[in-house]
Amino acid sequence: MITIKEMADLAGVSPTTVSNVLHGRTRKMSKETLEKVQNVIRDSNYVSNMGARLLANHGSRIIGVVLGYDHRDQINIIQDPFTGELIGALEHEISRQGYFMMLYRNPNVEKCLQMAMAWNIEGLVMIGFTEETYYAFRERLSIPIVTIDHYFQKKALDFRNVGLQDYEGGYSMGQYLISQGHRRICFCGNWIPMDSIDEQRYQGFLKAVENAGVEKKEILRMDLSTDTDLRMQMMARFAEKKFDGCTALFFTSDYIAIEAINLFYDMGIRVPDDISVAGFDDILSAKQIRPQLTTIHQNVSDKAKWAVCQVIRMCKGDILGCEDIRLPVELVIRGTVKKIR
């Protein structure tokens, strides 16, 4: 089957121009260019191959959900507890609104753009991409786009994002750990770029430490590998060193916190008697593990509802300005943090 790029080469235009013709966005196009592209489409029999109804001007009613994670090769996206829950919540809300969800995971921008253009996507929800990638999508696609869990530095450019009060969550957990007598604490996360979720949680945690008068030199930070085997090796070495004197570990996600608890169990290290552990997200496994995990709760369903509501409102013609929606989080105290003197 011929691709949009191949048709663009035949017509001597860009892939975006071909996509605009397929989707009926031709008002700003010259008559000569339009006829040239239409001839190539007709000669290649492209519409009949893709399905005329999907490419018709009355809309596909497809909302694309694209994931740009490039460090999930060891488990698929459904096995990842947080991502799986978010995808399920998005599908439920998109279906409830009378639309269809098309899920696509690929860190390659061009592949994602080809998917969006080929299937006449009406709106897009982006998860796990960089800020630069988002603006590449904006430049090439004239459809509504909403991001989830992004942090934007270029505030002058329009975006709509739905995320969490990550800073406040980190602050809340920092306050709680200090209130339980912990002074030497390690923040454990994945690699932390300056605009990431982990960085916001870490900065909130540090602010709580500062406000409590705890010396910053007592706070450690461990940037864990995204590779599972390497991450477990790092945690095992840290445990063998008696955690460098730390009495509590604050993990930036429940997933890696639970990984660590299981590792410690195999090593004969008891939680919370020997080391206190806290997480972030409140995934289902946080309540299933024993002892149950102390964590920061986020409402994944609310996040999905906000994102889908925003993109569908724009699909229906509502003009929404730049907005960064930050949903509240809540400290959940369970059994993995020990009060010490």
Side-chain angles (χ1 to χ4, degrees):
M1 181 185 294
I2 193 168
T3 66
I4 288 179
K5 186 178 186 307
E6 289 169 339
M7 287 192 292
D9 291 341
L10 289 172
V13 297
S14 69
T16 302
T17 300
V18 175
S19 176
N20 286 337
V21 173
L22 287 170
H23 299 162
R25 299 188 287 263
T26 59
R27 285 184 298 174
K28 298 180 180 180
M29 195 176 298
S30 71
K31 184 178 178 181
E32 180 185 0
T33 299
L34 176 59
E35 288 179 352
K36 189 190 309 180
V37 175
Q38 285 176 331
N39 289 338
V40 171
I41 293 171
R42 183 185 64 251
D43 294 343
S44 61
N45 200 28
Y46 184 80
V47 172
S48 62
N49 286 337
M50 289 298 293
R53 276 183 284 181
L54 280 179
L55 296 175
N57 289 337
H58 19 277
S60 65
R61 300 194 71 78
I62 296 175
I63 302 297
V65 176
V66 292
L67 296 99
Y69 299 128
D70 58 359
H71 60 271
R72 294 291 197 268
D73 292 336
Q74 293 164 303
I75 59 173
N76 66 51
I77 55 176
I78 302 301
Q79 286 177 309
D80 183 304
F82 173 76
T83 308
E85 184 179 356
L86 179 58
I87 290 169
L90 286 167
E91 192 283 328
H92 175 79
E93 189 60 24
I94 289 170
S95 177
R96 194 181 71 82
Q97 297 270 7
Y99 285 73
F100 304 97
M101 183 178 87
M102 177 172 284
L103 177 65
Y104 189 64
R105 187 204 74 85
N106 199 321
N108 186 292
V109 177
E110 285 300 319
K111 296 286 186 184
C112 291
L113 286 167
Q114 287 174 18
M115 180 278 296
M117 287 186 250
W119 288 97
N120 195 19
I121 300 296
E122 292 198 26
L124 205 59
V125 177
M126 293 179 61
I127 308 167
F129 287 93
T130 64
E131 181 177 359
E132 290 72 22
T133 302
Y134 166 78
Y135 289 118
F137 273 78
R138 280 288 306 272
E139 185 178 336
R140 301 272 296 277
L141 297 175
S142 56
I143 61 174
I145 300 176
V146 173
T147 60
I148 290 180
D149 286 333
H150 284 231
Y151 279 92
F152 288 86
Q153 301 301 313
K154 299 174 183 176
K155 301 298 184 183
L157 298 177
D158 287 346
F159 64 88
R160 294 196 70 76
N161 177 69
V162 180
L164 297 177
Q165 294 177 349
D166 294 296
Y167 181 93
E168 291 81 357
Y171 185 91
S172 180
M173 185 59 77
Q175 271 192 323
Y176 174 67
L177 292 175
I178 291 166
S179 76
Q180 298 305 294
H182 298 278
R183 294 297 180 269
R184 189 162 175 80
I185 307 168
C186 183
F187 180 92
C188 306
N190 291 322
W191 174 69
I192 304 177
M194 287 306 295
D195 59 346
S196 74
I197 294 169
D198 282 12
E199 180 67 18
Q200 290 296 313
R201 294 174 184 180
Y202 178 60
Q203 292 301 326
F205 167 68
L206 285 184
K207 187 63 177 178
V209 168
E210 177 188 326
N211 288 350
V214 176
E215 292 188 44
K216 194 172 180 180
K217 67 180 182 180
E218 294 297 320
I219 303 303
L220 305 183
R221 189 181 92 183
M222 178 179 288
D223 293 340
L224 296 168
S225 172
T226 56
D227 179 277
T228 302
D229 293 336
L230 291 177
R231 185 165 63 246
M232 298 296 277
Q233 291 171 22
M234 293 174 70
M235 288 307 305
R237 288 195 296 268
F238 190 43
E240 288 167 355
K241 292 166 54 182
K242 305 297 183 185
F243 304 105
D244 284 341
C246 292
T247 59
L249 310 178
F250 176 21
F251 289 86
T252 191
S253 78
D254 290 349
Y255 183 81
I256 55 177
I258 292 169
E259 254 187 0
I261 291 173
N262 288 329
L263 172 67
F264 299 157
Y265 178 85
D266 292 339
M267 297 177 69
I269 299 169
R270 299 166 300 169
V271 175
D273 295 336
D274 299 325
I275 187 71
S276 290
V277 173
F280 203 116
D281 288 331
D282 199 17
I283 62 176
L284 179 61
S285 302
K287 296 186 282 289
Q288 295 174 330
I289 195 170
R290 291 297 180 272
Q292 293 183 329
L293 182 63
T294 292
T295 186
I296 298 294
H297 173 79
Q298 64 161 303
N299 191 319
V300 176
S301 293
D302 279 355
K303 185 185 288 184
K305 286 178 183 177
W306 271 97
V308 174
C309 176
Q310 300 292 306
V311 76
I312 289 180
R313 281 183 61 189
M314 289 189 285
C315 286
K316 293 179 177 179
D318 287 357
I319 300 174
L320 304 179
C322 180
E323 188 172 8
D324 189 15
I325 299 164
R326 293 286 158 188
L327 301 178
V329 294
E330 178 185 1
L331 173 68
V332 179
I333 300 171
R334 296 195 179 106
T336 54
V337 174
K338 176 183 177 181
K339 186 176 180 67
I340 62 175
R341 294 182 180 179

